[in-house]
Structure formats: C-alpha cells, structure tokens
Amino acid sequence: MDILLVASAFNSLSQRLYAELSDLGHRLDVVLAARGPDQVRAAVRELRPDLIIAPMLRTALPEDVWREHTCLIVHPGPPGDRGPSSLDWAIADGAGQWGVTVLQAEAAMDAGPVWAAEPFPVPPVGKSDLYRNEASDAAVTAVLTAVQRYADGAYKPLPQTDESVTVVWRDTFRQERRRIDWEHDDTDTVLRKLRGADSQPGVLDELLGHEVFLHGGHPEDELRGRPGTLLAQRAGAVCRATRDGAVWIPELRPRRNSGDPAPFRRPAASVLAAYRSGPALPEVPAPLELPPGRHTWTDIRYRQHGDIGFLAFSFPGGAMSTDQCRRLLAAYTEALTRPTRVLVLGGTRDFFSNGIHLNVIEAAPDPAQESWTNLNAMDDLVEAVLRTTDRLVVAALGGNAAAGGAMLALAADEVWCRTGVVLNPHYRRMGLYGSEFWTYTLPRRVGPEQAERLTARALPVSAATAARLGMVDRLVPAAPRDFAAEVERLATGLAAAPDLDRRIAGKAAARAADERERPLARYREAELARMHALFFDPEAPYHALRSAFVRKTPGGSARPLAPAGAGTR
C-alpha cells in the first residue's frame, strides 16, 4: 500500500515504522505535522495515500483529513487510556505493565475505535528508554497487525463504547506533579520523578539560584549530605543528596526564558560551571569496574568473564562529546591490556551511539572548532578499534546507531544487533560528508555502490535490512531486558569456537594487507579534509541544520525524507 506517516517529528518510532513497513513492501512517505495543517493537507493531496498512520503527534490531525481518509493513531497507552501524558502516568504510578493502542482518528482525542493493541512490561528505566524499546516493540507489533487488518478489508475495529474497554482520562502531567521535595522525598521517589521526565520535559528545579530542568537520574549508594545539596561531579554529571541517599543527574537544561544563550540539554557540570562563582564541585573518579552490590552511576563500565571482556557505555541520547570519546578510548585502551580473546562493545539497552555531541558543540564558544575537536576524538576511538588485531571485537547494538556511531559499530569484526534496532548509516541530513573511516568500513561491508546509495539517500534502515546488506552479522531476537544476557551467551560461544585463533590471525593478516593497499591514515585525511571545509565555512548548511536540531526549531523540509544538506557529497 501507499502509506503516509504524519508525525510531529521523525523520531525513533517514526523511523522504525518507516523502515519495517518498507521492508514489507509498502511505499512510505513522511510529513511533519509540526509544520502546520496545510502541510499535512498538501502531502495528502499530492500522495493520495491508501492509509495514513500517525506514530507520534503533539497536535490533532486536520478534521478534513481524518474524515476523508482512514487515519490510524498510535497511542502509548492501553485500550481506553486517553490523554497526552500516558507514559508519564505509567511511570509515576509504578505500573508493571502498560500497552500501545492503534486507534482510528475521530473528533475526541484517543476515543476512536481500536484496530490493534499490544501490552508491554514497564522496567525501572527512563521514559525515553522505555519509549524507544518496550513501547516501540509493542507499537510496531500493533501497527503491523492494524495495517494487515486494514489491508484484508474484513476487520471491524472495536468501538471504545464496548463493555470490554474501560475508559480512563489522564490529564497532562504538569510540572507541579514532577516537582521534587528534596527534604522529604526518598531516593526511590526522586528517581521515579526523574525517570518520568528524563528526555522531555525534564523536572523543573533550582540550582545555584537558577531555574533548570533536570534530565535523567541514577542511584548513588555511598555519597551522603544534607537533602538537596550538590555533593560531587563525575564525567559531566552531578550528584545531589536526597533524604535517604543521593542521585546522579547527567544533564541539565536552562529554562528558555532564563537568559542563558544555550537553553538546551547538555552535561550538568558544564551548565553549573557558568553559574558557580566559588570552588567547583569535587570530582569523584568514575570507576571502570564496579564491585558486586555497588549502585552508582558511570557512563562507561568494564567487566570480564573468562576470555571475554565487556566494555559497556551509555551516553544520554547516544551523543558522544569530546570528553566522552576520550574517556571511552582510555577505557578501550585499558580493556586491551586484559587477557581476553573477545571484546564486546555495548551490549546494554538503548542507544549504541549517534556520533558527535551536537548540543555540546552548539553551546561551545567556537562551534566550528569544537566540531573539529569532537570529530577527531571520535576518529581516534574508531581507529583504535580498527587497529585491534590481537582479539575479535564485537559491537553489540541493543539500541539505535547513527552517523559516526553507526561507523563505530562497523569498525568491529562482528556487529550483533537487536531486532528492533534502527540504523542511520549516513551524515547527509546534518549537511555533512562524514568521517569515522566510513569510506573504508561501509564499502568493505556492503560494496561501493550500496555504500553510495545508503549515504546519499540518507534513509533509516531496519536491523533486518542491515543484515541483508551485510552491515550486521547477527540478529538477536531478544526483548530489551534480555539483550545483554543473550549477548553474553553468544560471546561465550564465540570465545570457545575452535577456529577462533585462526580467525584472529586472519584478521591481522587482512588488516596488514589493507594497510599496504591504502593506509587508514589516508582515509582519515581525505574524510577530514571534506569535514574541515564544512565545519569552518559559516555558510555551510551544517550550522543551520545543527542549530535547528539542537534548539528544536523548524529546519529543513516538512517532508523529512527529501534531500538535505545539498552539495555535501
């Protein structure tokens, strides 16, 4: 069928549905509802779709559109749930199970007949992690079911007036409900409030006399202090005391009307540094290895099991700043000193990596220079992986990867991917040519013609398609909570394989042969020459596209699959 996706943003769920529906042979296009109802009407008139699906909407569809066309709304709540803050309420109420409902658009919000519904568990993770993983898995299952039912033509959607449906209206989850009472809330309560707003909208609070939104929360089991007091900083995050413990907060966002020139999310310590007139918070070293039973936050962790090393990393939003790249490289270098034959990168849930940190770059005094510094730090990390010849390296993608983060994965010997992952192996939509040795690793896996197609078309790719093209070596059909354990099981088998020594020797020989043919340094120099020209050209599309992305202002086309950043290839 011809299907039009209407979304407020081409976010993770919209991209996944685009990729998976395309895999089934449907013809997809996308229009952004944030550009206004006339843009939606124009796309519908031009494309004349058989079906309209709204994966993520903050505004209602135009009435003339849903009256004249079947429009399916993806609602992140079980049948009968209504309101704009469904996942927020699920986390706040401690729900053990929630659901996704695909319903037909009508005049009343979320009140249309139900085409499909799918339940999902609610683990103790942040709302954005839950949305991209358990909720996304359920949404895809429900949407594919609804599309098949619509195509068959015989299914009658269930009206919500049916006695089997219990209707519950949930109001907008406002900041008054999120506010933390540092004197009286215990750590579990604080964490639940932080997790319910980790990406958007954050929890409004006051630090050092400035109103900021807190983003993300993780428990700390040793540091203590007067409730509400800032205790320490680590790897850009800050630790704040609760009534009975403490929590780590990785990111802050200055309130938009605060006068801060960078009112967007970035590492908490860097935001507070601009407000603090006295001594900085003490820096607490980030432990690379945690002893059993410890509960503290660090974005990079290592553990070893027999001949296998596991280097896990988790950066908010998948973005990797200069500092994060350098610390991950230091951890990788340390991991190489350990006596292992297999080294697994990633292997946890949620994002693998999305490449350089656009928010940190946008906030820098010289964004062009910070772009250059960040990119070189990312290149250093990828090059270290490519030059590892004494063991096999596995990139385990429990979550999405894009741009330089996708190329970091491709630098490994094997790429293992959870079946719900979406890959964006391109840079074009940020107006960039790309680096991280993509001109070496991508053609090596998929061939020169396919590499050109992937980077020029700049479309999201499902895990299944990535495997078919050769970017992914193994699909892991595991639930998000089970992915790490399944990776460990698979890695144990790889480490015990009788041909492992032969594979390692063959890898070293192949790398030496490739180096003789064209050294890695030449790939890097050629890519960086193109990127340097774009970074330091104030008229290059990258700067406007980056600013629009970070500041969440309109940028690019209302049809996000249209070419972007023309002239960068």
Side-chain angles (χ1 to χ4, degrees):
M1 290 190 296
D2 291 315
I3 299 175
L4 176 64
L5 300 183
V6 181
S8 293
F10 197 41
N11 69 345
S12 58
L13 177 58
S14 302
Q15 290 187 25
R16 184 172 172 188
L17 285 172
Y18 174 89
E20 298 213 14
L21 286 166
S22 296
D23 285 354
L24 293 174
H26 300 292
R27 295 168 297 279
L28 275 291
D29 209 324
V30 183
V31 64
L32 298 183
R35 290 305 190 89
D38 287 343
Q39 295 280 4
V40 176
R41 292 187 181 100
V44 171
R45 283 195 304 269
E46 175 191 345
L47 299 169
R48 300 170 62 187
D50 301 310
L51 181 64
I52 296 172
I53 301 175
M56 191 280 285
L57 276 182
R58 299 191 188 99
T59 57
L61 284 171
E63 181 176 351
D64 53 315
V65 170
W66 60 257
R67 285 197 183 277
E68 296 171 14
H69 302 267
T70 299
C71 299
L72 302 184
I73 307 294
V74 182
H75 176 68
D81 176 84
R82 299 181 187 176
S85 304
S86 187
L87 286 182
D88 305 71
W89 283 103
I91 293 171
D93 293 343
Q97 183 167 287
W98 206 239
V100 171
T101 305
V102 178
L103 48 89
Q104 191 162 334
E106 288 191 352
M109 176 183 278
D110 306 328
V114 174
W115 280 85
E118 186 71 19
F120 63 85
V122 182
V125 298
K127 180 176 67 173
S128 58
D129 183 339
L130 179 68
Y131 178 83
R132 283 187 292 267
N133 289 283
E134 282 84 0
S136 179
D137 285 358
V140 169
T141 299
V143 168
L144 296 186
T145 299
V147 168
Q148 187 59 55
R149 287 172 172 171
Y150 178 80
D152 290 343
Y155 184 79
K156 301 297 183 186
L158 179 71
Q160 292 197 41
T161 53
D162 189 271
E163 62 181 14
S164 66
V165 178
T166 302
V167 175
V168 179
W169 173 262
R170 304 176 199 277
D171 291 333
T172 301
F173 205 94
R174 302 190 183 280
Q175 281 295 338
E176 304 86 73
R177 294 183 180 275
R178 303 185 194 276
R179 190 170 296 279
I180 296 171
D181 184 342
W182 294 96
E183 290 287 342
H184 300 100
D185 287 347
D186 61 16
T187 301
D188 287 344
T189 301
V190 171
L191 287 172
R192 189 162 57 250
K193 290 179 178 180
L194 291 170
R195 286 170 176 160
D198 66 332
S199 177
Q200 286 294 333
V203 175
L204 184 61
D205 208 332
E206 184 176 304
L207 286 172
L208 304 181
H210 294 262
E211 284 192 315
V212 294
F213 292 91
L214 317 179
H215 291 272
H218 306 271
E220 163 60 38
D221 60 2
E222 289 186 355
L223 297 176
R224 295 291 183 270
R226 183 171 55 82
T229 303
L230 291 170
L231 304 174
Q233 60 181 327
R234 167 189 289 161
V238 295
C239 187
R240 194 172 187 186
T242 65
R243 175 173 63 81
D244 59 347
V247 295
W248 287 96
I249 303 168
E251 293 185 313
L252 300 176
R253 174 170 60 91
R255 197 166 190 175
R256 190 168 294 276
N257 61 2
S258 66
D260 193 304
F264 42 82
R265 289 167 52 194
R266 53 195 197 275
S270 67
V271 175
L272 291 184
Y275 302 155
R276 182 176 291 278
S277 56
L281 287 171
E283 181 79 27
V284 179
L288 186 57
E289 298 177 79
L290 289 179
R294 269 236 60 189
H295 296 284
T296 189
W297 173 85
T298 175
D299 49 9
I300 303 170
R301 293 184 181 180
Y302 179 83
R303 64 183 179 88
Q304 192 168 323
H305 179 70
D307 287 339
I308 313 163
F310 296 89
L311 183 58
F313 51 94
S314 180
F315 303 119
M320 297 172 62
S321 67
T322 301
D323 174 68
Q324 288 163 330
C325 289
R326 289 172 175 170
R327 287 190 293 104
L328 183 53
L329 175 57
Y332 184 82
T333 303
E334 173 63 25
L336 293 181
T337 68
R338 308 298 176 89
T340 61
R341 301 190 336 139
V342 174
L343 178 57
V344 179
L345 299 179
T348 58
R349 52 181 297 136
D350 210 14
F351 283 121
F352 180 77
S353 171
N354 285 327
I356 59 176
H357 203 311
L358 299 178
N359 288 42
V360 170
I361 289 168
E362 181 72 7
D366 185 344
Q369 183 59 50
E370 181 55 34
S371 298
W372 180 247
T373 304
N374 195 166
L375 184 64
N376 274 278
M378 192 84 194
D379 273 13
D380 290 342
L381 173 62
V382 175
E383 184 168 355
V385 177
L386 286 170
R387 292 193 182 280
T388 301
T389 56
D390 63 344
R391 68 201 75 195
L392 288 190
V393 180
V394 174
L397 280 64
N400 300 345
M407 303 312 162
L408 171 61
L410 296 187
D413 303 299
E414 292 196 11
V415 179
W416 299 351
C417 209
R418 194 178 85 83
T419 48
V421 163
V422 174
L423 298 172
N424 277 283
H426 53 78
Y427 305 79
R428 190 177 181 86
R429 296 196 179 280
M430 201 48 62
L432 295 174
Y433 174 76
S435 190
E436 292 95 4
F437 300 89
W438 79 265
T439 54
Y440 170 65
T441 58
L442 192 58
R444 180 179 64 166
R445 279 186 164 268
V446 305
E449 291 183 5
Q450 187 62 252
E452 175 68 23
R453 206 157 25 241
L454 287 167
T455 52
R457 293 178 67 208
L459 299 177
V461 175
S462 70
T465 292
R468 178 174 56 80
L469 295 176
M471 285 191 292
V472 169
D473 301 286
R474 184 189 292 270
L475 294 175
V476 183
R481 65 179 181 274
D482 300 327
F483 180 73
E486 182 63 11
V487 165
E488 182 162 352
R489 186 188 70 79
L490 294 170
T492 300
L494 179 61
D499 66 341
L500 182 60
D501 288 337
R502 178 185 60 79
R503 287 192 62 188
I504 293 173
K507 165 190 176 174
R511 173 85 285 282
D514 284 356
E515 190 71 12
R516 288 191 297 272
E517 182 177 340
R518 187 184 184 191
L520 285 178
R522 286 179 57 193
Y523 287 97
R524 180 167 178 164
E525 288 166 4
E527 292 170 359
L528 287 179
R530 299 286 293 268
M531 293 292 273
H532 188 277
L534 293 168
F535 286 159
F536 291 94
D537 175 5
E539 301 303 317
Y542 162 68
H543 300 290
L545 291 168
R546 182 195 68 238
S547 184
F549 174 82
V550 168
R551 298 175 186 273
K552 294 181 169 51
T553 56
S557 171
R559 301 271 287 281
L561 301 185
T568 63
R569 296 256 316 130

